[in-house]
Amino acid sequence: MSKVTLSVIKADVGGWVGHSGVHPALMERAKDCLEAAKGLLTDYYVASCGDDLNLVMTHALGVDSEAVHRLAWDTFVACTGVAKKLKLYGAGQDLLSDAFSGNVKGMGPGVAEMEFEERPSEPVIIFMADKTEPGAWNFPVFKIFADPFNTSGLVIDPKMHAGFRFEVHDLYENKKVLFSLPEEYYDILVLIGAAGHYTIKSVYSKSGDIASVSTTQRLNLMAGRYVGKDDPVLIVRAQSGLPAVGEVLEPFAHPHIVSGWMRGSHNGPLMPVSVADAHPTRFDGPPRVIALGFQLCEGRLLGPQDFFADPAFDRARSEALELADFFRRLGPFEPHRLPLDEMEYTTMPEVMKRLKDRFEDITD
Ligand code: F6R
Ligand code: MG
Ligand code: MG
């Protein structure tokens, strides 16, 4: 049986207006580029969340395909051209290199890809977030695949009862570690509770099938200076021995706190929104997430279903807005503003340099 690869490659190559959205001309250019490469792809869908352009592609070339990565890179370059012409904000901001070198990893764009045998019916959900970072997925992914209070299938479905394996990445040391749950339930939480440091890259069933994968690049660490948060993407396969669509969406019924928001330097609630509402405004936020559902059919993308457009998530939005009010009142104080060690690509080092010689020992 032939395998399908689902690749989501995303970048911010220019905002409209400011960092709030993607101009329709960029969406059109991206579609034209992918349409012209139809021979390479089985199908594609172009989406946006906030100022991030997301290329959803299916093909038969496997993960890390040079041809697919080149197509994504060339598409972002072409869109940057449009963004520059329209003087859109931060045109080309996520393209850290002038030339493509075989794989977009490490070059700025975020990548989430999985290859699998398409099941008799293959529902997938692609989450896209803006004004936050890859660690934002730790909380929902843990709940989806490990929390029986969220996912009743972990208790009830014999195919899920054995649990899942989680691949966790250390973003600072560039190392990975595999956990088996529920056996190592408490161990994994020691790490993934520090979501800016350790992120869940992927989840596998105990029989080895890929169930979920996310983007884990940290653009600010790669660039060595502040170039924006690495607004992340998460792919989750659902149903038939994997969490049901409703179990995959359930963690978003109550907002959790993520880092990002204004200047990538603040904590705040992650608000689930419809595609139409995926344009951060207040204090460049609050951070938001959309959920696009697709049925795959021989690699074709049937969809999307705009899941968070549903009124079932209205309360999550109200709760998020209440939390946003609470955090905003703190202004430049923690825990709204990120702790100092997360501020290293801002003015913090400069201020510390200026103050260095003014610090005196406390002797009394
Ligand atoms: C956060 C983000 C925005 C900008 C802010 C300042 O990820 O993109 O909040 O950091 O609008 O942008 P500049 O420095 O470009 O004026
Ligand atoms: Mg931007
Ligand atoms: Mg963004």
Side-chain angles (χ1 to χ4, degrees), residues 76-336:
F76 292 136
V77 169
C79 290
T80 298
V82 176
K84 285 191 170 149
K85 213 185 265 166
L86 297 178
K87 292 182 69 179
L88 299 179
Y89 198 70
Q93 82 163 47
D94 283 0
L95 305 188
L96 302 181
S97 166
D98 291 334
F100 178 72
S101 63
N103 193 302
V104 294
K105 275 186 204 149
M107 298 181 74
V111 186
E113 297 184 288
M114 51 164 75
E115 185 185 31
F116 51 86
E117 253 166 43
E118 193 178 290
R119 294 169 293 169
S121 185
E122 186 65 61
V124 296
I125 302 176
I126 305 176
F127 294 93
M128 301 165 183
D130 190 38
K131 304 296 179 270
T132 184
E133 60 175 11
W137 304 133
N138 281 12
F139 182 81
V141 169
F142 181 81
K143 287 186 79 85
I144 294 165
F145 290 101
D147 179 4
F149 286 81
N150 181 91
T151 299
S152 65
L154 292 166
V155 181
I156 292 169
D157 183 346
K159 286 193 253 160
M160 243 195 280
H161 197 75
F164 290 90
R165 286 201 178 86
F166 290 62
E167 183 180 311
V168 173
H169 285 196
D170 179 336
L171 298 182
Y172 286 82
E173 300 297 327
N174 209 26
K175 287 183 184 298
K176 60 182 181 182
V177 52
L178 204 63
F179 286 99
S180 188
L181 269 75
E183 308 88 278
E184 298 178 293
Y185 198 89
Y186 299 147
D187 289 350
I188 192 175
L189 284 168
V190 173
L191 302 192
I192 64 169
H197 193 133
Y198 296 98
T199 59
I200 302 168
K201 173 66 183 172
S202 43
V203 179
Y204 297 87
S205 70
K206 288 275 166 87
S207 51
D209 292 326
I210 183 83
S212 169
V213 71
S214 67
T215 52
T216 50
Q217 295 76 13
R218 273 195 78 173
L219 194 52
N220 54 345
L221 294 182
M222 269 153 37
R225 67 192 154 82
Y226 184 73
V227 287
K229 282 279 175 209
D230 334 303
D231 306 315
V233 165
L234 169 73
I235 308 175
V236 183
R237 297 170 75 195
Q239 306 286 159
S240 298
L242 295 173
V245 166
E247 290 168 330
V248 177
L249 299 174
E250 178 65 10
F252 297 91
H254 293 286
H256 64 293
I257 303 303
V258 298
S259 70
W261 209 342
M262 175 59 79
R263 298 176 190 277
S265 304
H266 294 82
N267 286 313
L270 184 63
M271 183 165 74
V273 293
S274 66
V275 170
D277 289 334
H279 305 292
T281 54
R282 182 181 179 191
F283 201 55
D284 285 1
R288 46 200 79 196
V289 55
I290 58 173
L292 302 185
F294 294 95
Q295 281 290 148
L296 292 193
C297 177
E298 313 301 338
R300 277 184 305 125
L301 292 156
L302 306 187
Q305 277 276 17
D306 182 2
F307 282 126
F308 290 150
D310 190 79
F313 290 92
D314 282 352
R315 286 221 190 139
R317 289 186 266 276
S318 307
E319 217 179 296
L321 294 177
E322 260 176 54
L323 287 162
D325 278 340
F326 171 81
F327 274 96
R328 281 304 301 126
R329 277 200 295 269
L330 298 174
F333 283 77
E334 297 176 13
H336 184 27

